[in-house]
Amino acid sequence: MQFYREFDWAYGRCDQVSPLIQRVICNNPSPFTYVGTGTYIVGRAEAGARVAVIDPGPHDDAHFEALLNALDGRTVSHILITHTHLDHSPLSTRLSQACGNAPIWSAPLPARTDASAEGQDDSFTPDALLSDGDLIEGDGWTLEVMETPGHASNHLAFALKEENALFSGDHIMGWSTTIVAPPDGDMADYMDSLDKVMARGFDILWPTHGPAITEVAPFLQAYKDHRIERENQVLAQLEAGHSTIAEMVPVLYAAVDQRLWPAASLSVLSHLMKLTKDGRVIAAPAPELSARWTLA
């Protein structure tokens, strides 16, 4: 895949990246967040305008101050959360309090225990819940809610109608493929959500981590093809006699930073769980990390 990794950015700087979008990046780089969490401000860059903030990010004093500086003179009407991992939602309450108790909107908290590398924000409490097709409006902007489970069961994306753009959270990232980690992450859900985004024909995607994706259709097709290829690689590993995830990961992810192998193991598990649902693979004694897997 040809990834999007090069872009002009600096920590704490507010960049006008489109007529209706500004971005401020938090200094929380990691193998899972790339250069850090990109918080988006949606709306006009003028005093008095009503704007939305998407994914305030982690608890970070410098990022909090940078957001307040970027919002100077504007009213935050909505704080929107793509999902409740620790690099996306924790700063929302503090930001709300600093912005006149601006309401925080998200999907319901996950019902399943999260096992992802990012961790779950268990203290998160939204003021209002969102569901597929909901519309959120401000001064000159309209966001449509898209439910996109897969990376997380409560993952949302937000479509900016005026620019035919999608804030894709972690569902689609330009710098890397997305981690799908059971039990909260689900590969079958992820693939369905990917098809849902592909069908919309967006002109540009704004992930929470990394630069915008501008060649949307071919990138999404490559994203989907990668998942299908990985699924076929997992089946090939089973055909070769590798029956455990521990045997598969060093082969499938030989070129990947070994710090990511635990997350990769969960991704392989997600593929195997999907294949089990499809009736192509059998797990013994149950579909879990330590299971032994065979072709059905």
Side-chain angles (χ1 to χ4, degrees), residues 31-273:
F32 304 100
T33 62
Y34 194 36
V35 300
T37 297
T39 299
Y40 291 102
I41 302 170
V42 183
R44 296 173 182 158
E46 58 189 47
R50 294 170 65 248
V51 300
V53 176
I54 299 177
D55 284 348
H59 291 299
D60 185 280
D61 290 341
H63 188 56
F64 174 71
E65 294 298 330
L67 288 177
L68 292 185
N69 289 336
L71 290 165
D72 186 36
R74 292 184 285 177
T75 299
V76 177
S77 60
H78 299 79
I79 297 175
L80 305 174
I81 308 300
T82 61
H83 62 297
T84 48
H85 284 162
L86 289 172
D87 54 326
H88 289 254
S89 59
L91 197 60
S92 57
T93 299
R94 186 179 177 188
L95 183 64
S96 170
Q97 292 169 348
C99 296
N101 293 317
I104 302 167
W105 301 66
S106 75
L109 286 169
R112 293 168 282 183
T113 302
D114 182 64
S116 74
E118 295 95 335
Q120 185 63 239
D121 182 6
D122 293 323
S123 65
F124 178 78
T125 304
D127 297 305
L129 297 178
L130 295 168
S131 57
D132 199 60
D134 286 347
L135 295 179
I136 302 160
E137 298 178 326
D139 294 335
W141 55 267
T142 309
L143 291 169
E144 177 191 349
V145 177
M146 291 183 66
E147 292 180 354
T148 50
H151 171 71
S153 62
N154 67 339
H155 196 288
L156 301 176
F158 300 99
L160 178 59
K161 292 199 167 185
E162 287 77 8
E163 298 185 2
N164 195 32
L166 183 71
F167 297 98
S168 58
D170 284 1
H171 179 59
I172 301 159
M173 300 186 294
W175 75 279
S176 172
T177 55
T178 297
I179 293 171
V180 180
D184 190 53
D186 184 285
M187 189 60 71
D189 287 349
Y190 183 84
M191 296 299 285
D192 288 344
S193 296
L194 193 57
D195 285 340
K196 182 177 181 178
V197 173
M198 292 175 74
R200 289 291 296 267
F202 292 107
D203 291 329
I204 190 167
L205 308 181
W206 296 100
T208 300
H209 308 290
I213 299 163
T214 54
E215 299 293 331
V216 177
F219 186 83
L220 290 180
Q221 187 61 55
Y223 228 55
K224 181 176 181 178
D225 291 345
H226 169 78
R227 290 296 180 183
I228 294 171
E229 180 183 9
R230 184 67 80 198
E231 183 175 285
N232 289 334
Q233 289 172 344
V234 169
L235 290 170
Q237 286 292 297
L238 293 172
E239 291 173 354
H242 294 164
S243 61
T244 68
I245 292 173
E247 292 172 324
M248 297 179 197
V249 167
V251 179
L252 296 177
Y253 293 88
V256 174
D257 187 337
Q258 291 190 25
R259 292 176 298 172
L260 297 175
W261 281 10
S265 297
L266 292 171
S267 186
V268 173
L269 173 61
S270 189
H271 277 290
L272 285 164
M273 291 175 72

